[in-house]
Amino acid sequence: MQSKTYFEKSLCESAGLFSLRKKQMDLFLLSQAGMITYQQLAYCRLHGKTEAAGRLSLKALENDNLVQAKRLPNQYLSKYYFLTPKGRALLRSLFPAALLDYLQITLERRLPTGTQQIYHRIRTNDFYFAYVASPNSRPVPWIPEQRLLPSSIPGKDAPPRCDGLLLTAHTKYYIEQDNNTQSESILHQKLRHYQQAGILGEKSSGNILVFCLAFPRKCAPAAKPSFSLYRVLLHFSKIWSLFEEDAKIPLDYQQFLQVLETSSIKKTISANEMQIFQTLHSRYPEMDTLADVHSLKKMYLNDTSYSDMQDKETDTLFQKRIHTHFQHIYSANPSLIAHALNGNPIFAVPSHRLPLYQPYIMPFEYGFAKQLLKCLLYNGLNTDGWEYQRPLRVSNCGQRTYCFCHGFFHKEYGCIACEHLTIDLSSRIRVQNYLQTGAESGCPVFLLLFASDQDISDINTNQKVFYRNTILLQIDCSQSLYLNPPPDIFLADGSKHPVMFECDEFYGQIRFVTRKETLI
């Protein structure tokens, strides 16, 4: 039996209900998003960690006529689901009208009609569904296509809109979906709209802009996805079970094939399914009984290797898109530099990596500060007395104040400033500005960079990691901070030996020792 997630418990509490079934949770998510895919349902972790479980749940809802499914033309595996009148009626009977009003849910909202509009809306919802999976997520308003200005701009037919707006207790998250189709000039125009609306400004706070980058897969892959193999094994296991019930004895693989050859049920099996089943047996010759088939079927249900392979291919497309369309947004919009130097981020994140990167984007909603302290503790830091701040302000002997996205302050040991070079487009502005003018004086600063080796080499071309009062540290951004044990911290000099903090309470200083890996 699956346990309830924090989001499910919180929704029940908000709605005044004792419990909700999984399919009712799926319907609620659909009421907020308007449409959903089974891949997105896997983001939510309501049905486990695999896409297959979400796919089975949505199929059950479709059989109950609570949702309807459609496919987009020329898009591989792009089946999406939306509410039917029966599904909307069930939601009205389940949830109080006051809760629906607070969440700004409009059950009668019309869906877009154009193919490109539909796909754009579908991918915009990725950010919301990834948030649902966070350990402290609560039902909050998720508003597609929210106006940025209260009225139309003179000379324009329609006011500019964001693709999605997530309103949490701490921050407003404005989501712009980029499906690799918009030109660089369009992206710059969107930034100007946010500036005109007062969302991005030198003194604006509490607003976070996130560009989510998705890359449609229009062609079927060469390899079979795990769920396709699971579905074939599910079909054969049901037939195998029927044969054993009729025969009153267990059947091995060869006996099963012999019975199948003379059975009318064989008509329900396509030639392709038969070939896949026989190929699986040749790959796993130990699959000789019905119990073996069940074990293999379960393995493919929980297999995520296919998704991991696709994610790695998409990482390359993400890096290329950043280089061609997002790398120069500050040079093209110099009025945004003051916004960046005040510690305000603008994120560009690949949609397929949202579960990895979203805790950094939404630190309050994910308890990021607490988890980062655990990581620092694992790496030897005495975490007593460290205060989390966002943004983190560092004073340079009272002459100048530098801002970082966030970090920790200690009245004796100094500051630990945190910047994510991979997904925060503004991080390089702050880091380079500090290293050029403030790294050699002021209070001790430990600049902790979440980055790949390539990102570090870009920001630190001369390999200088020790300044007079500043030390550059690195955490591998491809690893989740929520690992157990947490990831290691390195000096940002390309070495791969973890370092340990050593606190000298007598002098009020922090030193480092290298923790070299040894075989016992």
Side-chain angles (χ1 to χ4, degrees):
M1 181 177 179
Q2 289 183 336
S3 60
K4 298 289 185 183
T5 64
Y6 189 89
F7 186 85
E8 291 175 272
K9 296 175 183 177
S10 180
L11 179 58
C12 289
E13 180 183 347
S14 301
L17 300 173
F18 179 73
S19 65
L20 284 168
R21 297 170 64 185
K22 293 291 184 182
K23 72 174 186 179
Q24 294 168 337
M25 287 295 307
D26 296 343
L27 291 175
F28 172 80
L29 294 176
L30 263 172
S31 71
Q32 284 205 294
M35 56 186 73
I36 195 173
T37 66
Y38 66 86
Q39 294 97 331
Q40 290 172 323
L41 199 55
Y43 281 173
C44 306
R45 298 294 190 257
L46 299 179
H47 301 275
K49 297 182 179 180
T50 63
E51 295 179 358
R55 192 172 191 169
L56 294 172
S57 176
L58 288 172
K59 189 66 178 177
L61 289 173
E62 186 180 12
N63 293 336
D64 293 339
N65 197 30
L66 295 172
V67 301
Q68 186 177 346
K70 285 187 178 181
R71 287 187 183 274
L72 285 172
N74 303 321
Q75 297 285 346
Y76 178 70
L77 289 181
S78 57
K79 197 173 185 179
Y80 67 97
Y81 299 80
F82 54 93
L83 289 170
T84 63
K86 182 179 178 181
R88 291 194 292 269
L90 178 59
L91 284 168
R92 289 193 186 93
S93 66
L94 277 175
F95 298 102
L99 177 62
L100 298 179
D101 290 341
Y102 162 70
L103 297 175
Q104 303 188 42
I105 294 176
T106 305
L107 292 175
E108 301 300 333
R109 180 188 296 134
R110 298 181 63 181
L111 299 179
T113 55
T115 298
Q116 188 61 34
Q117 289 177 304
I118 291 174
Y119 192 80
H120 197 81
R121 174 77 68 81
I122 288 173
R123 296 318 306 258
T124 300
N125 290 327
D126 286 348
F127 189 87
Y128 170 68
F129 292 126
Y131 161 74
V132 169
S134 69
N136 302 310
S137 62
R138 291 180 171 274
V140 294
W142 167 247
I143 310 168
E145 298 182 353
Q146 174 71 7
R147 289 184 178 185
L148 299 180
L149 296 169
S151 59
S152 300
I153 299 176
K156 298 289 185 179
D157 294 331
R161 302 170 183 263
C162 64
D163 291 324
L165 173 61
L166 186 66
L167 301 174
T168 70
H170 303 280
T171 313
K172 295 179 181 178
Y173 295 95
Y174 292 86
I175 310 304
E176 286 293 334
Q177 186 63 39
D178 177 71
N179 292 337
N180 202 28
T181 58
Q182 296 171 326
S183 66
E184 191 174 5
S185 61
I186 293 297
L187 297 175
H188 290 227
Q189 183 181 22
K190 287 185 175 182
L191 288 170
R192 288 193 289 272
H193 287 159
Y194 280 94
Q195 288 181 283
Q196 293 169 359
I199 296 169
L200 300 180
E202 183 176 355
K203 297 182 179 179
S204 61
S205 60
N207 302 318
I208 303 296
L209 176 58
V210 184
F211 287 93
C212 292
L213 279 61
F215 303 90
R217 301 183 180 99
K218 296 184 179 181
C219 300
K224 277 283 184 182
S226 300
F227 183 79
S228 296
L229 302 178
Y230 165 82
R231 187 169 52 188
V232 170
L233 290 171
L234 177 63
H235 189 186
F236 277 91
S237 66
K238 290 180 178 179
I239 297 173
W240 199 322
S241 179
L242 287 175
F243 288 170
E244 288 192 350
E245 289 179 7
D246 291 341
K248 309 295 184 189
I249 58 171
L251 302 176
D252 61 22
Y253 177 75
Q254 293 299 331
Q255 291 171 332
F256 166 73
L257 292 182
Q258 291 172 3
V259 176
L260 179 63
E261 191 64 32
T262 59
S263 173
S264 59
I265 296 180
K266 188 178 180 181
K267 297 179 180 179
T268 66
I269 302 174
S270 67
N272 185 51
E273 286 179 320
M274 193 69 202
Q275 182 180 3
I276 292 175
F277 183 68
Q278 291 175 339
T279 302
L280 285 172
H281 183 264
S282 62
R283 185 185 302 174
Y284 304 99
E286 67 275 10
M287 187 184 75
D288 198 50
T289 66
L290 179 58
D292 297 332
V293 175
H294 284 309
S295 298
L296 188 61
K297 174 167 61 74
K298 185 177 180 181
M299 182 192 77
Y300 277 109
L301 178 64
N302 296 321
D303 182 23
T304 60
S305 59
Y306 176 78
S307 297
D308 294 341
M309 176 186 65
Q310 289 186 316
D311 288 347
K312 290 178 181 178
E313 294 173 354
T314 311
D315 286 338
T316 303
L317 298 176
F318 168 71
Q319 293 296 337
K320 181 179 178 180
R321 183 72 172 171
I322 291 293
H323 180 74
T324 58
H325 286 70
F326 290 89
Q327 194 173 35
H328 306 294
I329 66 168
Y330 286 97
S331 58
N333 300 274
S335 57
L336 282 174
I337 294 179
H339 177 264
L341 292 179
N342 276 348
N344 297 304
I346 295 179
F347 293 105
V349 58
S351 293
H352 65 289
R353 296 291 187 191
L354 275 170
L356 173 64
Y357 293 135
Q358 207 167 38
Y360 190 93
I361 298 172
M362 308 177 71
F364 296 110
E365 291 78 9
Y366 277 78
F368 181 82
K370 182 178 180 181
Q371 189 63 31
L372 183 53
L373 276 181
K374 288 183 180 179
C375 179
L376 294 170
L377 178 64
Y378 171 75
N379 286 274
L381 181 69
N382 181 355
T383 57
D384 293 339
W386 291 93
E387 175 189 354
Y388 178 75
Q389 296 180 3
R390 178 172 182 178
L392 175 68
R393 302 185 185 278
V394 178
S395 177
N396 183 1
C397 298
Q399 300 177 0
R400 185 174 177 182
T401 299
Y402 296 87
C403 294
F404 295 96
C405 184
H406 56 176
F408 298 94
F409 171 78
H410 195 285
K411 61 181 181 181
E412 294 181 5
Y413 297 122
C415 301
I416 300 177
C418 302
E419 294 287 349
H420 204 304
L421 297 182
T422 302
I423 61 171
D424 186 354
L425 301 172
S426 61
S427 61
R428 280 175 170 76
I429 300 291
R430 292 186 291 273
V431 172
Q432 290 175 343
N433 178 68
Y434 175 75
L435 294 181
Q436 290 170 2
T437 61
E440 295 289 355
S441 59
C443 72
V445 174
F446 306 96
L447 188 49
L448 183 58
L449 304 174
F450 291 76
S452 65
D453 291 341
Q454 181 61 44
D455 294 326
I456 290 294
S457 63
D458 289 345
I459 199 72
N460 188 31
T461 55
N462 61 358
Q463 298 298 313
K464 184 178 180 182
V465 297
F466 289 97
Y467 297 82
R468 190 169 69 180
N469 281 306
T470 302
I471 297 176
L472 271 62
L473 304 170
Q474 177 188 0
I475 289 183
D476 183 0
C477 65
S478 66
Q479 297 188 39
S480 171
L481 199 66
Y482 291 76
L483 294 174
N484 188 21
D488 294 320
I489 295 176
F490 308 92
L491 289 176
D493 58 358
S495 67
K496 289 303 177 184
H497 296 307
V499 297
M500 295 290 291
F501 292 88
E502 281 191 347
C503 298
D504 189 328
E505 297 183 4
F506 182 79
Y507 290 103
Q509 296 177 346
I510 293 179
R511 296 189 297 267
F512 292 96
V513 294
T514 301
R515 186 180 60 191
K516 295 185 178 181
E517 299 293 336
T518 57
L519 296 176
I520 300 178

